[in-house]
Amino acid sequence: MSSILYRGALLPEAPLPAPDQPRRWAVLVRDGAVAAVRPDGQAEPNDADKVVDLAGALLLPGFVDAHVHVTDTGLLLAGVDCSPARTVNEILDAVADLARRNPGRQVLGHGWDELNLAEGRSPTAMELDRASGGAVVYLSRVDVHSAVVSTRLAEQARLSEYEGWDGSGRVERDAHHQARHATRFEIPAGERRELQMLALRHAAAMGITQVHEMSAPHIAPDEDLLALLEIGREPGLPEVVAYRGELAEDEAAVRAVLERFGGQLAGLAGDLMMDGSFGSRTAGLLADYEDAHGHRGHLYASAAQVRDHIVACTRAGVQGGFHVIGDGAVAELVEGLRRAAEVLGAETVRAAAHRFEHVEGIGAADIEALAQFGVVASVQPAFDAFWGGEEKMYAVRLGRRRALAMNPFAGLHQAGVALAFGSDSPVTPFAPWEGVRAALRHHNPDQRLDVHTALEAHTVGGLRAVRRKASLRIRVGDPATFTAWTSPGIRVAGATDRPTPLALLAEELTGGDPTPVRTPSSITLATKGTAT
């Protein structure tokens, strides 16, 4: 039996709140579980194998990133990061540099946004050809629903035969899926492992102790997810919870997918597409795009297919769910959910705790439906920070009125919809504190969350989204998976005349400084039940 005593911790909420409660606590961990939580110095055990002084750091459950793409994140970390670019030439220079350093290998990258580029457009195939010396090049847009590719890749994958090819090198829909297939499905096993390890180590460095991998046939082969699940069992790395976005028409189809992955899937959900994205104008809308009149995006599944999928997953005892962005796609999805409830009964559907990803454009009536049927909303606060408000991408694509209605976090929470925060990395980076900050500073003041709700959504909300019981409090009997954090405000929180640690956090996170304010004092103190 191994044990560690963590002393001098601040807790977001004391186990038994009282006016005279102490400000610092001792947490005893035995064999990977919390064995005791007591005021500092009060009947502490003298037989702990190790004592760690947290010196007033705030002890929290580990962050959970409820929507990630691990291999793609590794590709970004090792490839071309287009997100800082403000001109096409900056992207081309980065492509040329990587091609020069890795002759004979494909050049992969991510993160360009034509709205941030001086030319107002993406690179062309001809430009990529010249920069790369004729290599295979794939650069995904920031939303990963479209990309630009080189001529060599277009010819090898025969992209001109697929819907979504426009001749310039830009691909979306089926052509984009084919381009991803051509560049992702042939990655050697050793290189794939390196990419996955790179991404998971980076997540751990951000204080993330669990990630929800959103795999799908159009994203990666079965081998990619199976390899990731194996790596995710290694100590010191975030736990991997796996979803596979495959549409099932009946229970037998669900069980066939589960069998392929050795029963390791949490559900057939995640990047199972109802529609696309706002940035690529493929999200399904009820009214036209502001900057593309006559165009309302695309729907990739019908209410009847949603009904069959939800019924099949419920009967198989796993979660079902979809990627859904636009209000038109949300409406179709909710109609399918209602039809599933007509087949199974509302309580049966509610008990299954299905989950929908993103739900950026959703009205009040559909929010009530999600609450009624117990759906978890897996959302990304950084989307509002990156693209929200009256001037950024949402406003360009949808107009200011609709833009301010996107990502209604407070509306979802107030209606009783469970929230789980994530990044959709590599769409936005692993940065959980910035996710919490974004929820507190939503561009629409009516949709801002309080710090307690936001922290819950980015920690235990992710655990609840995979149907585990969890609390923001550090409780006896819980797995010892937590992190400790310091900041200028937290360092003075030991004084009895100061507000609670959460109140100080709210002050810091909603202040005028837009830079990160926190660094970990201890990274992943304990992970997956094994103290580290």
PDB file of all heavy atoms in Angstrom, residues 194 196-206 234 236-238:
ATOM      1  N   GLU A 194       4.535   8.299 -32.308  1.00  0.00           N
ATOM      2  CA  GLU A 194       5.259   9.508 -31.928  1.00  0.00           C
ATOM      3  C   GLU A 194       4.322  10.713 -31.887  1.00  0.00           C
ATOM      4  O   GLU A 194       4.393  11.536 -30.968  1.00  0.00           O
ATOM      5  CB  GLU A 194       6.395   9.774 -32.917  1.00  0.00           C
ATOM      6  CG  GLU A 194       7.539   8.782 -32.841  1.00  0.00           C
ATOM      7  CD  GLU A 194       8.567   9.041 -33.925  1.00  0.00           C
ATOM      8  OE1 GLU A 194       8.442  10.054 -34.639  1.00  0.00           O
ATOM      9  OE2 GLU A 194       9.489   8.215 -34.067  1.00  0.00           O
ATOM     10  N   GLN A 196       1.015  10.722 -31.465  1.00  0.00           N
ATOM     11  CA  GLN A 196       0.051  10.593 -30.375  1.00  0.00           C
ATOM     12  C   GLN A 196       0.707  10.877 -29.028  1.00  0.00           C
ATOM     13  O   GLN A 196       0.117  11.550 -28.164  1.00  0.00           O
ATOM     14  CB  GLN A 196      -0.584   9.205 -30.406  1.00  0.00           C
ATOM     15  CG  GLN A 196      -1.487   8.997 -31.617  1.00  0.00           C
ATOM     16  CD  GLN A 196      -2.032   7.578 -31.720  1.00  0.00           C
ATOM     17  OE1 GLN A 196      -1.489   6.636 -31.121  1.00  0.00           O
ATOM     18  NE2 GLN A 196      -3.103   7.408 -32.484  1.00  0.00           N
ATOM     19  N   MET A 197       1.926  10.376 -28.829  1.00  0.00           N
ATOM     20  CA  MET A 197       2.639  10.649 -27.578  1.00  0.00           C
ATOM     21  C   MET A 197       2.919  12.142 -27.437  1.00  0.00           C
ATOM     22  O   MET A 197       2.770  12.716 -26.344  1.00  0.00           O
ATOM     23  CB  MET A 197       3.950   9.861 -27.548  1.00  0.00           C
ATOM     24  CG  MET A 197       3.782   8.373 -27.387  1.00  0.00           C
ATOM     25  SD  MET A 197       3.208   7.895 -25.728  1.00  0.00           S
ATOM     26  CE  MET A 197       4.664   8.255 -24.748  1.00  0.00           C
ATOM     27  N   LEU A 198       3.307  12.788 -28.529  1.00  0.00           N
ATOM     28  CA  LEU A 198       3.572  14.224 -28.505  1.00  0.00           C
ATOM     29  C   LEU A 198       2.335  14.997 -28.055  1.00  0.00           C
ATOM     30  O   LEU A 198       2.406  15.895 -27.204  1.00  0.00           O
ATOM     31  CB  LEU A 198       4.018  14.678 -29.892  1.00  0.00           C
ATOM     32  CG  LEU A 198       4.332  16.165 -30.088  1.00  0.00           C
ATOM     33  CD1 LEU A 198       5.519  16.580 -29.236  1.00  0.00           C
ATOM     34  CD2 LEU A 198       4.609  16.452 -31.570  1.00  0.00           C
ATOM     35  N   ALA A 199       1.188  14.638 -28.611  1.00  0.00           N
ATOM     36  CA  ALA A 199      -0.052  15.343 -28.271  1.00  0.00           C
ATOM     37  C   ALA A 199      -0.474  15.082 -26.830  1.00  0.00           C
ATOM     38  O   ALA A 199      -0.873  16.006 -26.106  1.00  0.00           O
ATOM     39  CB  ALA A 199      -1.153  14.930 -29.237  1.00  0.00           C
ATOM     40  N   LEU A 200      -0.401  13.832 -26.383  1.00  0.00           N
ATOM     41  CA  LEU A 200      -0.840  13.510 -25.023  1.00  0.00           C
ATOM     42  C   LEU A 200       0.081  14.125 -23.975  1.00  0.00           C
ATOM     43  O   LEU A 200      -0.375  14.570 -22.910  1.00  0.00           O
ATOM     44  CB  LEU A 200      -0.929  12.001 -24.844  1.00  0.00           C
ATOM     45  CG  LEU A 200      -2.072  11.309 -25.597  1.00  0.00           C
ATOM     46  CD1 LEU A 200      -2.011   9.806 -25.394  1.00  0.00           C
ATOM     47  CD2 LEU A 200      -3.425  11.850 -25.154  1.00  0.00           C
ATOM     48  N   ARG A 201       1.375  14.153 -24.244  1.00  0.00           N
ATOM     49  CA  ARG A 201       2.278  14.810 -23.303  1.00  0.00           C
ATOM     50  C   ARG A 201       1.980  16.303 -23.213  1.00  0.00           C
ATOM     51  O   ARG A 201       2.048  16.903 -22.138  1.00  0.00           O
ATOM     52  CB  ARG A 201       3.733  14.581 -23.731  1.00  0.00           C
ATOM     53  CG  ARG A 201       4.240  13.166 -23.466  1.00  0.00           C
ATOM     54  CD  ARG A 201       5.629  12.976 -24.012  1.00  0.00           C
ATOM     55  NE  ARG A 201       6.117  11.620 -23.777  1.00  0.00           N
ATOM     56  CZ  ARG A 201       6.883  10.950 -24.617  1.00  0.00           C
ATOM     57  NH1 ARG A 201       7.259  11.506 -25.766  1.00  0.00           N
ATOM     58  NH2 ARG A 201       7.285   9.730 -24.337  1.00  0.00           N
ATOM     59  N   HIS A 202       1.657  16.892 -24.350  1.00  0.00           N
ATOM     60  CA  HIS A 202       1.308  18.314 -24.343  1.00  0.00           C
ATOM     61  C   HIS A 202       0.027  18.545 -23.547  1.00  0.00           C
ATOM     62  O   HIS A 202      -0.070  19.518 -22.774  1.00  0.00           O
ATOM     63  CB  HIS A 202       1.146  18.799 -25.782  1.00  0.00           C
ATOM     64  CG  HIS A 202       0.834  20.251 -25.900  1.00  0.00           C
ATOM     65  ND1 HIS A 202       1.640  21.237 -25.366  1.00  0.00           N
ATOM     66  CD2 HIS A 202      -0.203  20.903 -26.482  1.00  0.00           C
ATOM     67  CE1 HIS A 202       1.127  22.420 -25.616  1.00  0.00           C
ATOM     68  NE2 HIS A 202       0.003  22.248 -26.286  1.00  0.00           N
ATOM     69  N   ALA A 203      -0.953  17.664 -23.708  1.00  0.00           N
ATOM     70  CA  ALA A 203      -2.191  17.785 -22.933  1.00  0.00           C
ATOM     71  C   ALA A 203      -1.906  17.675 -21.436  1.00  0.00           C
ATOM     72  O   ALA A 203      -2.424  18.462 -20.626  1.00  0.00           O
ATOM     73  CB  ALA A 203      -3.187  16.713 -23.368  1.00  0.00           C
ATOM     74  N   ALA A 204      -1.059  16.725 -21.048  1.00  0.00           N
ATOM     75  CA  ALA A 204      -0.726  16.555 -19.631  1.00  0.00           C
ATOM     76  C   ALA A 204      -0.046  17.800 -19.083  1.00  0.00           C
ATOM     77  O   ALA A 204      -0.286  18.203 -17.936  1.00  0.00           O
ATOM     78  CB  ALA A 204       0.177  15.342 -19.452  1.00  0.00           C
ATOM     79  N   ALA A 205       0.786  18.437 -19.897  1.00  0.00           N
ATOM     80  CA  ALA A 205       1.464  19.644 -19.455  1.00  0.00           C
ATOM     81  C   ALA A 205       0.503  20.789 -19.213  1.00  0.00           C
ATOM     82  O   ALA A 205       0.824  21.736 -18.482  1.00  0.00           O
ATOM     83  CB  ALA A 205       2.511  20.065 -20.483  1.00  0.00           C
ATOM     84  N   MET A 206      -0.682  20.723 -19.791  1.00  0.00           N
ATOM     85  CA  MET A 206      -1.717  21.733 -19.577  1.00  0.00           C
ATOM     86  C   MET A 206      -2.627  21.376 -18.398  1.00  0.00           C
ATOM     87  O   MET A 206      -3.615  22.061 -18.139  1.00  0.00           O
ATOM     88  CB  MET A 206      -2.562  21.896 -20.839  1.00  0.00           C
ATOM     89  CG  MET A 206      -1.813  22.410 -22.053  1.00  0.00           C
ATOM     90  SD  MET A 206      -1.204  24.105 -21.829  1.00  0.00           S
ATOM     91  CE  MET A 206       0.542  23.778 -21.562  1.00  0.00           C
ATOM     92  N   GLU A 234      -0.858   4.193 -20.512  1.00  0.00           N
ATOM     93  CA  GLU A 234       0.464   4.372 -19.915  1.00  0.00           C
ATOM     94  C   GLU A 234       0.403   5.398 -18.789  1.00  0.00           C
ATOM     95  O   GLU A 234      -0.323   6.392 -18.879  1.00  0.00           O
ATOM     96  CB  GLU A 234       1.458   4.807 -20.991  1.00  0.00           C
ATOM     97  CG  GLU A 234       1.673   3.754 -22.067  1.00  0.00           C
ATOM     98  CD  GLU A 234       2.797   4.111 -23.016  1.00  0.00           C
ATOM     99  OE1 GLU A 234       3.564   5.043 -22.687  1.00  0.00           O
ATOM    100  OE2 GLU A 234       2.917   3.452 -24.067  1.00  0.00           O
ATOM    101  N   GLY A 236       1.161   8.524 -16.361  1.00  0.00           N
ATOM    102  CA  GLY A 236       1.649   9.865 -16.614  1.00  0.00           C
ATOM    103  C   GLY A 236       1.016  10.555 -17.790  1.00  0.00           C
ATOM    104  O   GLY A 236       1.299  11.730 -18.033  1.00  0.00           O
ATOM    105  N   LEU A 237       0.150   9.862 -18.524  1.00  0.00           N
ATOM    106  CA  LEU A 237      -0.535  10.455 -19.664  1.00  0.00           C
ATOM    107  C   LEU A 237      -2.030  10.548 -19.373  1.00  0.00           C
ATOM    108  O   LEU A 237      -2.563   9.780 -18.568  1.00  0.00           O
ATOM    109  CB  LEU A 237      -0.319   9.614 -20.929  1.00  0.00           C
ATOM    110  CG  LEU A 237       1.103   9.527 -21.467  1.00  0.00           C
ATOM    111  CD1 LEU A 237       1.149   8.599 -22.678  1.00  0.00           C
ATOM    112  CD2 LEU A 237       1.636  10.902 -21.837  1.00  0.00           C
ATOM    113  N   PRO A 238      -2.736  11.461 -20.021  1.00  0.00           N
ATOM    114  CA  PRO A 238      -4.188  11.528 -19.826  1.00  0.00           C
ATOM    115  C   PRO A 238      -4.866  10.212 -20.231  1.00  0.00           C
ATOM    116  O   PRO A 238      -4.457   9.542 -21.172  1.00  0.00           O
ATOM    117  CB  PRO A 238      -4.612  12.669 -20.760  1.00  0.00           C
ATOM    118  CG  PRO A 238      -3.380  13.480 -20.967  1.00  0.00           C
ATOM    119  CD  PRO A 238      -2.236  12.524 -20.923  1.00  0.00           C
TER     120      PRO A 238
END
